[in-house]
Amino acid sequence: MERFQGRTYGMLGTSEMGSDDQPDSARERAEEFNFSEVFVHQMIHSIEFVLGAVSNTASYLRLWALSLAHSELSTVFYEKVLLLAWGYENIIIRLVGLAVFAFATAFILLMMETLSAFLHALRLHWVEFQNKFYHGDGYKFMPFSFALLADDED
């Protein structure tokens, strides 16, 4: 411990920084604590958090509304098409009612369920990924490249 006393870790440089731009230690960059700046910064983050929570809730409510619409539509198709058609003794009316019910089930309801699954996956990938992991306040992204390594060695 005595061997490293007084030394601190410095900020890692990027390929765009010159040697004079890199600070030697964290002690040399010590800034004065400003409570109002920290307070405003934390208030901004708090507001962003609340807006994100409201946005996520609204997104789930949208999926819930689509699920309710699916449920109500399936009930309407069952009661107003299939049960109505089975109320008649004529076989042609029963077959037409069965065909309409099958079409409604296969194409309308399954398409709605597919849309619901797609929207849920899109919401999870886009909204929650962007809210939880991506901040956009870091360093410029430099993708790994073997060509850049070869140029640095020359």
Side-chain angles (χ1 to χ4, degrees):
M1 291 297 278
E2 293 176 10
R3 187 170 58 154
F4 296 110
Q5 188 173 7
R7 291 192 228 160
T8 60
Y9 290 107
M11 186 172 80
L12 291 176
T14 63
S15 60
E16 295 175 0
M17 294 177 69
S19 60
D20 55 342
D21 293 337
Q22 297 178 6
D24 294 331
S25 71
R27 288 187 186 189
E28 293 178 11
R29 298 184 300 124
E31 296 178 8
E32 186 177 317
F33 178 75
N34 188 353
F35 178 75
S36 63
E37 184 178 327
V38 172
F39 181 77
V40 168
H41 184 74
Q42 290 301 321
M43 284 303 294
I44 290 171
H45 279 291
S46 299
I47 290 169
E48 286 177 352
F49 176 78
V50 169
L51 288 176
V54 169
S55 174
N56 286 343
T57 303
S59 183
Y60 273 115
L61 287 176
R62 215 173 8 255
L63 291 171
W64 181 56
L66 193 59
S67 174
L68 283 177
H70 179 157
S71 172
E72 288 300 314
L73 211 53
S74 66
T75 303
V76 166
F77 284 141
Y78 178 72
E79 289 176 356
K80 300 298 181 190
V81 176
L82 192 62
L83 291 182
L84 184 67
W86 286 112
Y88 290 97
E89 296 298 325
N90 191 348
I91 190 71
I92 295 174
I93 294 177
R94 284 186 175 188
L95 288 176
V96 168
L98 185 62
V100 170
F101 179 75
F103 174 79
T105 301
F107 291 106
I108 296 173
L109 294 178
L110 289 179
M111 292 302 278
M112 284 183 66
E113 194 62 33
T114 303
L115 178 65
S116 174
F118 171 73
L119 286 177
H120 188 62
L122 183 68
R123 195 196 77 70
L124 286 175
H125 282 87
W126 180 255
V127 176
E128 292 207 2
F129 177 78
Q130 294 293 345
N131 282 346
K132 296 194 187 300
F133 304 111
Y134 179 74
H135 295 290
D137 56 355
Y139 298 102
K140 179 182 174 186
F141 176 68
M142 298 290 291
F144 180 76
S145 171
F146 286 111
L148 289 177
L149 285 178
D151 290 343
D152 288 343
E153 290 177 3
D154 292 340

